[in-house]
Amino acid sequence: MALTIQSALGLNPWDVFHQGLAEATGISFGWVVILVGIPVLLLWIPLRQRPGFGTVANLVVVGFAVDGALAVLPEGGTIPARVGYLVGGILLNGLATGLYIGSRFGPGPRDGLMTGVVGRFPRLSIRLVRTSIEVLVLIVGFFLGGTVGIGTIAYALAIGPLAQLFLPLCTVRTGDARPALAH
């Protein structure tokens, strides 16, 4: 997350939303990430998505981690460095999504929307659901005044396919035959 922010090429869609709220409220970016996760969890109720230890950990840790990383990570500077930050941030976020959902400890609040929709409507692909959520959040964040750039579009279009690629590769195999996103 911090890599894409410091690339200065556009925030990921959820971060466009988070930034818009941070600017509107004066709350730090990391705290907005944490606080937004709470009402997002309420959207899980009609999806019958259940939180786990990983859900709570993601809710708290990501916000503090991004504030900490932003405090020490230098800005991208040159265009090649900024593009490297952006591409690295997108790829690492795709891998991280596969790792923490695949661990079966529960998805984070935002990814739980994706896994909940796919769990309820299994004919929909992960990439379609994730991309649709990202585009919706991007639109709302844009109207709140969040920063949109080429990196925003790249993230919105790449994260769904990356999540679909990494999730099966990173899923912990158990005696349970259901895939990680059915939990």
Side-chain angles (χ1 to χ4, degrees):
M1 189 181 289
L3 285 169
T4 59
I5 292 168
Q6 293 298 66
S7 78
L9 294 172
L11 301 172
N12 76 53
W14 276 103
D15 288 345
V16 171
F17 180 70
H18 297 141
Q19 182 191 49
L21 282 177
E23 289 181 8
T25 63
I27 299 171
S28 82
F29 188 89
W31 271 104
V32 168
V33 170
I34 293 167
L35 295 173
V36 164
I38 297 167
V40 168
L41 286 173
L42 295 176
L43 296 174
W44 287 25
I45 295 169
L47 299 173
R48 298 185 188 135
Q49 183 77 345
R50 291 180 303 204
F53 172 77
T55 307
V56 177
N58 180 282
L59 178 69
V60 176
V61 171
V62 170
F64 290 126
V66 75
D67 271 352
L70 287 172
V72 299
L73 187 67
E75 291 182 15
T78 66
I79 291 293
R82 292 168 56 194
V83 169
Y85 271 17
L86 177 66
V87 171
I90 293 171
L91 288 173
L92 286 172
N93 203 329
L95 176 59
T97 299
L99 286 169
Y100 78 80
I101 294 173
S103 72
R104 297 181 181 258
F105 285 113
R110 293 149 193 85
D111 285 327
L113 291 177
M114 172 188 69
T115 59
V117 170
V118 172
R120 294 276 299 178
F121 305 98
R123 292 180 155 229
L124 299 175
S125 71
I126 292 170
R127 69 178 166 267
L128 173 67
V129 172
R130 177 67 182 257
T131 302
S132 299
I133 291 169
E134 297 291 328
V135 170
L136 176 64
V137 171
L138 169 60
I139 292 166
V140 173
F142 174 76
F143 285 111
L144 286 172
T147 302
V148 176
I150 190 70
T152 309
I153 305 304
Y155 186 98
L157 296 177
I159 197 63
L162 286 171
Q164 183 155 334
L165 170 72
F166 285 121
L167 187 58
L169 297 173
C170 300
T171 297
V172 173
R173 306 291 176 223
T174 65
D176 186 352
R178 295 180 298 169
L181 55 99
H183 294 275

